Each structure stands twice: as structure tokens, then as C-alpha cells.
Amino acid sequence: MEVSRKQNASSPCAACKLLRRRCSQECIFAPYFPAEEPGKFAGVHKVFGASNVSKMLQELPEEHRGDAVSSMVYEANARMRDPVYGCVGAISYLQQQIDALRQQLALTQAEMLHLRLRNQATSPTNSYTLLSHSKPSNFDMDMGVEHASFRESMWSST
């Protein structure tokens, strides 16, 4: 990044341009907020403030600054979309989607097991003997349901 910074010495970085100041060779913002991406620093500046961003970057080792800037940009964008919760709101929303999909998957698996049991009950062989002496399949083990306990609850509700 230093090579491109020296070649572009006359053009200030996005931070210095927004702050209307001269961009020096030692500018802490220049490697992370290039002039071609003005919105990147604008959002971070609006949420965190230039002084705070500068302090955070100076306190970090150089190898961690890029990750810190990426995190700040992500959080700033999330805060502008949702000023109260920021990225926590997005995480919470995604967690709710995961929970809903898990419930849907569990219901679908239970329905599939119910249909398998119903099909076995209507087959010409004795379904009780088949169910009580059969070894649980991988599907049933994944569900965490034993045949006997599931059969009792399924047949008692119908």
C-alpha cells in the first residue's frame, strides 16, 4: 500500500478529503480509506467520529488495522440502517430465521416419520412386530425419537 500511496501523494485519501485537510505520507487513514471509496469513510466518520477511528487504529498493531476498519465499516453501515441495534439487530434477525427453519425442519421430519409409520401399519405384515423388533434407522436416531415412545404419542392423538 505504501507504493500506491507515494505515487498518489497529490490526491488525498477519502478521510482527509472529507475532513478537508492535507493528507500526509504518515496519514493513518490513507491505507484503509482510499480516495476512490469516499462513502466508506463517510459512514465510519458519521457513526464513530474521525478522532475515535484514528485513536483505535493507532492503538492496534498494523497487521490488525485492516480487519478493524472492515469491522467499523460493517458496523457503521448496520448502524445507518438500524440506528438502535446496528449489526446486533441483523444477527438477531438471522438467528430468528434459523430458529424458524429448525422448527420447520423438525415438523417436516416428524411428518415424514408419521407417514412411514402409517405406511407400515397398512402393510400386510404385522406392524407391531415390525416396529417393536426393528432396529432404529439413522433417520430415527437423527430425530432423537424411539419408535415405542413416538408410536404411543402419535396414536394417542388420532
Side-chain angles (χ1 to χ4, degrees):
M1 295 223 174
E2 282 299 315
V3 174
S4 65
R5 179 78 191 121
K6 287 178 184 176
Q7 290 173 349
N8 236 356
S10 62
S11 175
C13 68
C16 291
K17 190 179 264 187
L18 183 76
L19 298 172
R20 297 173 191 238
R21 66 181 194 189
R22 188 165 184 237
C23 192
S24 69
Q25 289 288 340
E26 297 81 32
C27 178
I28 191 126
F29 299 120
Y32 312 105
F33 299 104
E36 306 84 50
E37 300 177 40
K40 189 174 173 180
F41 182 75
V44 170
H45 174 58
K46 186 175 183 178
V47 172
F48 297 103
S51 177
N52 289 329
V53 174
S54 175
K55 287 176 193 173
M56 283 188 269
L57 292 176
Q58 287 172 351
E59 290 177 5
L60 288 171
E62 204 166 319
E63 64 268 11
H64 297 296
R65 290 178 184 173
D67 292 335
V69 167
S70 295
S71 295
M72 285 187 265
V73 169
Y74 183 82
E75 178 64 27
N77 289 335
R79 283 278 169 198
M80 288 192 290
R81 280 191 305 273
D82 184 353
V84 175
Y85 295 107
C87 65
V88 173
I91 292 168
S92 177
Y93 172 75
L94 292 171
Q95 187 62 50
Q96 289 173 356
Q97 278 188 317
I98 289 170
D99 292 342
L101 291 171
R102 281 186 179 148
Q103 287 176 349
Q104 186 178 0
L105 177 63
L107 288 172
T108 303
Q109 287 174 331
E111 186 177 347
M112 288 173 54
L113 185 58
H114 174 72
L115 291 172
R116 277 179 50 205
L117 291 172
R118 196 171 76 196
N119 284 342
Q120 287 178 351
T122 59
S123 70
T125 61
N126 186 347
S127 63
Y128 178 76
T129 307
L130 185 66
L131 288 175
S132 62
H133 295 4
S134 67
K135 189 175 178 183
S137 69
N138 286 339
F139 175 79
D140 300 325
M141 289 180 183
D142 288 343
M143 287 287 297
V145 177
E146 293 181 13
H147 284 295
S149 64
F150 190 76
R151 184 178 60 240
E152 291 171 10
S153 63
M154 286 300 280
W155 300 123
S156 62
S157 65
T158 54

